[in-house]
């Protein structure tokens, strides 16, 4: 089940919200848990047991880690829980990639297994892992109730595509949360904005990307495809995050922001402070800093940064292009740290242009799992193939989708948000906006519904991670 479906919007969500708000407080987490398990079962019936096992296992080990007074035993319990968590992730997500790599060097050494990747496994594995580590560090108190912990792990708003919600973020709200018309209204608005990003922008950009992929090759076509795929991925994933955050507000939870207009970044360092914030902060707190961060000698710093970006690439998928994608960013972040960052901070226009170009190339690497196709795309973009700059087919589709591209680029900046905020500062207009806002959001929601009905199914891109 996905958020951008009639089943979710008109059947599942209304029933869940009705039950959630009519039951007494002590039953709300139970309703949320049951609805989350139904939500996951609808898409992954075979792996519900895996999700429940992960939650119960980490709940039990979390209790043991918290209560253990002997440091060596406490460390052993943590290491064992991490081995189980990442062992499960490795088996389902990376085993066949590992076996293919090994077999390329030593033929037929490891068998290939028929394994289906459970949806959201990377997200809930990182959540359970952060929970036991934070208990080991003494940053949080363990969940008092196994059902509450299972609710946290399986919570349907963010279960299958994030953001990665740490227990410390919602620890108090798991026990006690307040509801207000204002926050529920903000949640509905945020959800509607995310839905519009997905079905009215990302999905149409996806159609354009497919057209460009099938068109006769040209330099302009390759650049347009890179731009389109970058915008599609941004609106798809940030749209899902908006919907998750919006649903969280409706249910009384405050999830942290996951995107902050990353495409206006003026350096790659700045970009990764704005893009998929929950993932980059997770690697910072649970890998980079424990390795020593940047307060070490130069060689060790390079090693630490390499580990983080190798892991970041690998987290996104079991394929060499994702590893290359992570190491690509590693090289530019290293370059910025030692040479470029002062210049980029001083010359913001150059910094922004440089960042956009680096990002466009990065998402070509990200989207091409076939290395031959990847090399061909990159070579074509810089004019190393004998292809024309443009052709009639590309120019036709460019004109057809030009308005959408301009609109998407505009919405990827904070200009609309800034303009809206300034309008609300004018008292007369603020009163008018207060009256027409509900009508606008209802209209957007209905328009999204018509898009969902008229177009073919488009799953969220980050479901595969």
């Amino acid at each position: 089940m996905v958020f951008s479906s009639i089943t979710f919007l008109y059947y599942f969500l209304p029933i869940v919200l009705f039950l959630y708000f009519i039951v007494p407080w002590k039953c709300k987490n139970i309703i949320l848990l049951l609805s989350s398990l139904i939500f996951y079962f609808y898409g992954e019936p075979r792996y519900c047991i895996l999700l429940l096992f992960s939650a119960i296992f980490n709940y039990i080990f979390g209790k043991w880690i918290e209560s253990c007074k002997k440091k060596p035993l406490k460390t052993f319990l943590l290491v064992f829980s991490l081995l189980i968590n990442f062992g499960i992730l490795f088996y389902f997500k990376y085993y066949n990639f590992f076996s293919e790599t090994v077999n390329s060097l030593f033929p037929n050494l490891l068998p290939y297994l028929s394994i289906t990747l459970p949806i959201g496994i990377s997200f809930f594995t990182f959540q359970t892992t952060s929970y036991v580590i934070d208990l080991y560090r003494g940053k949080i108190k363990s969940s008092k109730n196994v059902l509450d912990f299972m609710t946290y792990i399986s919570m349907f708003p963010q279960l299958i595509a994030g953001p990665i919600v740490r227990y410390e973020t919602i620890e108090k709200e798991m026990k006690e949360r307040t509801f207000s018309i204002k926050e529920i209204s903000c949640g509905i608005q945020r959800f509607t904005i995310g839905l519009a990003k997905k079905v009215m922008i990302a999905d149409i950009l996806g159609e354009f990307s497919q057209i460009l992929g099938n068109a006769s090759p040209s330099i302009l076509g390759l650049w347009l495809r890179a731009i389109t795929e970058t915008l599609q991925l941004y609106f798809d994933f940030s749209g899902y995050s908006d919907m998750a955050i919006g649903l969280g507000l409706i249910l009384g939870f405050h999830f942290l922001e996951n995107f902050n207009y990353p495409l206006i970044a003026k350096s790659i360092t700045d970009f990764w402070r704005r893009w998929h914030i929950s993932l980059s902060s997770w690697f910072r707190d649970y890998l980079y800093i424990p390795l020593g961060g940047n307060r070490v000698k130069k060689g060790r710093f390079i090693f630490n940064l390499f580990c983080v970006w190798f892991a970041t690439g690998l987290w996104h998928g079991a394929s060499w292009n994702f590893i290359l994608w992570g190491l690509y960013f590693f090289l530019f972040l290293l370059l910025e740290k030692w040479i470029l960052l002062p210049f980029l901070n001083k010359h913001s226009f150059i910094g922004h242009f440089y960042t956009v170009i680096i990002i466009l190339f990065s998402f070509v690497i990200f989207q091409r799992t076939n290395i031959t196709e990847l090399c061909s795309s990159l070579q074509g973009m810089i004019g190393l193939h004998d292809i024309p700059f443009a052709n009639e087919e590309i120019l036709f589709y460019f004109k057809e989708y030009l308005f959408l591209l301009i609109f998407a680029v505009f919405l990827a900046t904070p200009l609309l948000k800034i303009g809206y905020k300034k309008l609300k500062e004018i008292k007369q207009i603020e009163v008018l906006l207060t009256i027409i806002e509900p009508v606008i959001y209802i209209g957007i929601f209905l328009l999204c519904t018509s898009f969902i009905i008229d177009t073919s199914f488009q799953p969220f891109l980050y479901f595969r991670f």
Side-chain angles (χ1 to χ4, degrees):
M1 194 184 308
V2 296
F3 294 166
S4 56
S5 67
I6 298 299
T7 303
F8 179 83
L9 294 172
Y10 285 93
Y11 299 98
F12 178 83
L13 186 58
I15 293 170
V16 169
L17 293 180
F18 174 75
L19 294 174
Y20 183 78
F21 284 109
I22 66 167
V23 300
W25 162 251
K26 63 181 180 181
C27 297
K28 290 191 187 301
N29 283 355
I30 298 297
I31 292 295
L32 191 51
L33 172 60
L34 292 174
S35 59
S36 297
L37 293 177
I38 292 169
F39 177 86
Y40 195 74
F41 182 85
Y42 186 90
E44 286 282 16
R46 291 182 297 173
Y47 291 128
C48 259
I49 299 298
L50 177 65
L51 177 65
L52 292 173
F53 168 80
S54 180
I56 295 169
F57 170 82
N58 284 279
Y59 174 80
I60 293 170
F61 266 76
K63 285 290 187 184
W64 290 346
I65 289 169
E66 184 181 47
S67 62
C68 186
K69 303 302 180 184
K70 296 180 180 179
K71 189 67 178 287
L73 179 57
K74 193 172 186 175
T75 303
F76 170 79
L77 291 171
L78 174 66
V79 171
F80 185 80
S81 67
L82 295 181
L83 287 174
I84 295 298
N85 285 331
F86 287 113
I88 292 170
L89 181 63
F90 173 83
Y91 172 77
F92 282 102
K93 190 169 183 177
Y94 301 109
Y95 171 78
N96 281 333
F97 173 64
F98 177 75
S99 68
E100 287 173 3
T101 304
V102 171
N103 289 340
S104 66
L105 301 173
F106 308 99
N108 303 318
L109 183 64
L110 295 174
Y112 182 88
L113 302 178
S114 180
I115 303 171
T116 303
L117 181 66
I119 292 175
I121 188 171
S122 296
F123 289 95
F124 69 72
T125 298
F126 271 37
Q127 288 188 189
T128 55
T129 301
S130 68
Y131 174 76
V132 293
I133 293 175
D134 285 348
L135 282 173
Y136 177 83
R137 293 173 174 175
K139 289 183 65 177
I140 58 173
K141 298 292 184 182
S142 64
S143 178
K144 301 297 181 185
N145 186 310
V146 66
L147 294 179
D148 286 349
F149 184 71
M150 289 167 64
T151 303
Y152 155 66
I153 295 300
S154 65
M155 200 181 299
F156 74 86
Q158 50 77 51
L159 170 62
I160 51 180
I164 300 168
V165 178
R166 302 188 203 179
Y167 189 74
E168 64 176 324
T169 303
I170 59 170
E171 182 178 5
K172 293 180 180 177
E173 292 171 342
M174 287 302 303
K175 305 166 190 171
E176 182 181 352
R177 47 192 180 269
T178 57
F179 305 94
S180 68
I181 297 298
K182 182 180 179 181
E183 292 218 326
I184 292 172
S185 175
C186 287
I188 293 171
Q189 291 176 15
R190 189 68 180 270
F191 179 86
T192 305
I193 290 169
L195 182 65
K197 281 183 176 181
K198 165 64 179 169
V199 303
M200 295 173 63
I201 302 177
D203 287 353
I204 301 176
L205 287 170
E207 293 174 4
F208 185 33
S209 176
Q210 289 179 358
I211 290 171
L212 292 170
N214 295 324
S216 301
S218 67
I219 295 173
L220 178 61
L222 290 170
W223 277 94
L224 281 176
R225 191 179 180 194
I227 293 167
T228 302
E229 288 178 339
T230 300
L231 289 169
Q232 181 197 5
L233 191 62
Y234 167 68
F235 282 105
D236 189 278
F237 192 22
S238 70
Y240 186 95
S241 293
D242 286 338
M243 285 187 268
I245 292 167
L247 287 172
L249 285 172
I250 295 169
L251 297 169
F253 295 96
H254 294 79
F255 303 150
L256 299 181
E257 292 294 335
N258 208 25
F259 288 86
N260 182 24
Y261 298 103
L263 299 182
I264 67 165
K266 296 173 184 177
S267 66
I268 298 303
T269 304
D270 185 29
F271 173 77
W272 276 103
R273 292 190 186 117
R274 296 169 175 270
W275 178 278
H276 204 344
I277 299 168
S278 63
L279 179 68
S280 55
S281 63
W282 195 99
F283 277 117
R284 179 196 65 208
D285 294 342
Y286 298 106
L287 183 58
Y288 182 63
I289 292 175
L291 285 173
N294 58 2
R295 297 183 178 183
V296 290
K297 292 182 179 179
K298 186 178 289 187
R300 181 55 189 262
F301 166 70
I302 295 171
F303 173 77
N304 293 348
L305 202 64
F306 174 86
C307 288
V308 168
W309 288 99
F310 182 90
T312 300
L314 193 61
W315 181 89
H316 282 84
S319 177
W320 282 108
N321 71 300
F322 293 118
I323 294 173
L324 289 172
W325 180 74
L327 297 181
Y328 172 88
F329 280 119
F330 157 72
L331 291 173
F332 280 101
L333 287 167
L334 204 60
L335 192 63
E336 287 184 4
K337 176 73 174 176
W338 287 343
I339 302 172
L340 292 178
L341 208 53
F343 176 82
L344 296 174
N345 289 335
K346 189 176 179 180
H347 302 87
S348 57
F349 177 79
I350 296 173
H352 179 65
F353 180 78
Y354 145 87
T355 304
V356 168
I357 297 300
I358 300 303
I359 290 169
L360 289 177
F361 277 107
S362 79
F363 284 116
V364 173
I365 300 171
F366 187 89
Q367 296 282 40
R368 307 288 183 273
T369 55
N370 185 296
I371 298 299
T372 302
E373 184 187 358
L374 167 61
C375 293
S376 178
S377 295
L378 294 175
Q379 289 169 355
M381 288 175 70
I382 59 176
L384 296 181
H385 279 325
D386 186 21
I387 55 175
F389 176 78
N391 54 47
E392 290 185 8
E393 184 182 15
I394 289 298
L395 292 174
F396 171 79
Y397 285 116
F398 178 51
K399 292 175 185 176
E400 287 288 303
Y401 286 88
L402 179 60
F403 175 77
L404 175 64
L405 286 173
I406 294 171
F407 187 58
V409 169
F410 174 72
L411 291 181
T413 73
L415 292 174
L416 181 62
K417 184 179 180 179
I418 293 168
Y420 182 75
K421 188 177 180 181
K422 288 188 177 295
L423 280 176
K424 291 199 81 171
E425 291 174 357
I426 304 170
K427 288 189 177 180
Q428 296 86 343
I429 296 179
E430 183 185 13
V431 173
L432 180 62
L433 287 175
T434 303
I435 296 169
I436 66 173
E437 246 183 7
V439 177
I440 293 172
Y441 281 102
I442 290 170
I444 292 172
F445 185 83
L446 293 175
L447 193 57
C448 287
T449 302
S450 68
F451 271 74
I452 293 168
I453 292 171
D454 290 343
T455 57
S456 59
F457 172 70
Q458 293 273 7
F460 287 93
L461 296 176
Y462 259 68
F463 278 11
R464 56 182 164 155
F465 309 131

